[in-house]
Amino acid sequence: MHFLDQAKIFIKSGDGGPGAVSFRREKYIEYGGPDGGNGGKGGDVIFEAVAGLNTLIDFRYTQHFKAKRGTPGAGRDRTGAGGPDLVIQVPIGTQILADDDERSLLADLTREGERIVFLRGGDGGRGNASYKTSTNRAPRQHGPGWPGEEMWVWLRLKLLADAGLVGLPNAGKSTFINAVTNAQAKVGAYAFTTLRPQLGVVSHKGHEFVVADIPGLIEGAAEGAGVGDRFLGHIERCRVLLHLVDANDTDVATSYRVVRDELEAYGADLIDKPVIVALNKVDTLDDELIAALSAELAEASGQPVMALSGASGAGIDAVLDKLLEAVGLPEPGADEADEEGADDWSPI
């Protein structure tokens, strides 16, 4: 499945159905009269966040969405049927943006099953029965029905993850996510092996949390260098960042600062998120060199540095412990213990 995280679509709610012009014509009714019913309401355009989707690729091939109009009214005071609502299913984490220069945020769907009536269908027109008055006994006018609303909008997907992986290309992010989750990210000995975000679910000590791996950042990513910084939006919702630095880099402190500068240039408070700094690929080094590089990286980052190897598995459990603590998940069985304690409590 191809990954697409933004798309532009046209949406239109249904027009209201026209009212009817009709008169009673029963055989034994001396005086007839108007009996035209109202038209039906047009269908609404509804966005719904559903599980199981993690791409907007469907909107590349279908870009126009129009709800059906209401049915016209009929004689005998029959109101037309309303047009069916058009439900557009999108992945959880989808934002709906206006088609303007600022890309104004109109809606943000962050919970499974969340629904929003985005465009309301037009009301049906009045039938001639509703125009009858004491002085206008046989009205022939009717309402044509109100038009629906229409607009172009942008859909932007920001994946929902608890932890995000950042680092330079070839820092070992794909190897790490493959080692700790069920993801199958591509791994290669060249830059920009990862060209789209990857999600994986970590199972650790009775807990599960989601990790997002984004393409590597290089100096100038904010200006479009490499793959740019457009994928950083997928870690805006993360609670913690895991910053991986390749232990084989010429200057690990410079590698750390390059990525931090790009996070700061992007904005969205990414630079203020809690971060865990880890020296990766330490399986190729001896203990003395690992200690020296860790000290150098700790001085540059102001953070304690953890050593790990995604390839050999060394140090991974300790890093997952830190991530679990930063994500803030409750201890297994804590809810049940609280409930049992509540049952046993007594004021005596």
Side-chain angles (χ1 to χ4, degrees):
M1 180 183 296
H2 295 288
F3 181 80
L4 187 69
D5 62 352
Q6 60 183 17
K8 184 180 180 180
I9 63 173
F10 174 81
I11 53 176
K12 183 183 185 304
S13 59
D15 299 331
V21 175
S22 176
F23 295 90
R24 296 176 61 183
R25 291 180 176 84
E26 287 106 342
K27 182 175 182 179
Y28 295 106
I29 303 298
E30 182 177 2
Y31 300 105
D35 66 350
N38 300 331
K41 174 182 170 295
D44 298 333
V45 174
I46 300 173
F47 284 96
E48 180 182 16
V50 298
L53 294 178
N54 59 4
T55 177
L56 299 174
I57 189 64
D58 292 339
F59 299 100
R60 170 171 288 179
Y61 308 108
T62 304
Q63 298 173 333
H64 290 75
F65 297 85
K66 299 179 181 180
K68 293 186 178 181
R69 68 177 304 161
T71 303
R76 299 185 182 178
D77 292 312
R78 288 176 291 180
T79 300
D85 295 334
L86 175 62
V87 180
I88 303 175
Q89 295 185 332
V90 296
I92 302 171
T94 300
Q95 293 181 328
I96 305 173
L97 310 174
D99 185 27
D100 54 20
D101 294 336
E102 293 77 22
R103 293 288 192 272
S104 305
L105 179 63
L106 303 177
D108 194 0
L109 304 174
T110 59
R111 300 188 307 274
E112 180 180 351
E114 186 175 1
R115 291 166 63 101
I116 177 173
V117 179
F118 196 76
L119 296 182
R120 187 179 181 277
D123 293 326
R126 294 166 58 189
N128 70 331
S130 66
Y131 287 95
K132 178 181 177 181
T133 66
S134 59
T135 57
N136 185 9
R137 308 297 294 176
R140 294 184 177 274
Q141 67 265 43
H142 72 288
W146 293 90
E149 303 173 295
E150 61 181 52
M151 64 188 304
W152 286 91
V153 295
W154 282 89
L155 303 180
R156 185 181 181 191
L157 174 60
K158 292 184 178 180
L159 297 175
L160 295 179
D162 299 301
L165 302 181
V166 295
L168 291 175
N170 268 17
K173 301 186 298 298
S174 297
T175 302
F176 177 82
I177 198 172
N178 286 347
V180 301
T181 74
N182 54 357
Q184 297 180 350
K186 184 178 180 181
V187 177
Y190 54 89
F192 302 113
T193 309
T194 300
L195 295 176
R196 62 182 182 87
Q198 299 277 352
L199 285 180
V201 179
V202 177
S203 296
H204 184 64
K205 293 188 175 179
H207 288 292
E208 290 188 348
F209 59 94
V210 180
V211 175
D213 171 25
I214 65 168
L217 300 172
I218 63 173
E219 188 172 3
E223 286 75 42
V227 294
D229 63 357
R230 57 169 291 191
F231 293 118
L232 282 177
H234 296 290
I235 60 173
E236 287 183 21
R237 307 179 195 268
C238 294
R239 304 182 191 179
V240 61
L241 302 180
L242 176 59
H243 189 157
L244 296 181
V245 179
D246 189 348
N248 298 305
D249 286 348
T250 305
D251 187 342
V252 293
T254 299
S255 298
Y256 171 82
R257 284 192 289 267
V258 166
V259 174
R260 296 297 290 179
D261 289 345
E262 296 306 320
L263 294 179
E264 186 174 11
Y266 178 82
D269 298 327
L270 289 186
I271 197 68
D272 298 324
K273 284 187 176 294
V275 61
I276 298 172
V277 182
L279 189 67
N280 196 14
K281 304 183 182 180
V282 298
D283 56 306
T284 60
L285 309 175
D286 57 35
D287 293 341
E288 183 178 352
L289 186 53
I290 292 173
L293 292 176
S294 298
E296 182 181 346
L297 188 54
E299 182 178 358
S301 64
Q303 301 279 348
V305 176
M306 308 189 71
L308 67 91
S309 171
S312 68
I316 284 184
D317 284 343
V319 172
L320 293 181
D321 288 341
K322 278 286 187 181
L323 287 175
L324 195 61
E325 180 183 350
V327 168
L329 295 175
E331 290 296 326
D335 294 339
E336 291 81 353
D338 291 343
E339 291 178 1
E340 292 176 2
D343 293 338
D344 297 338
W345 182 85
S346 171
I348 303 175

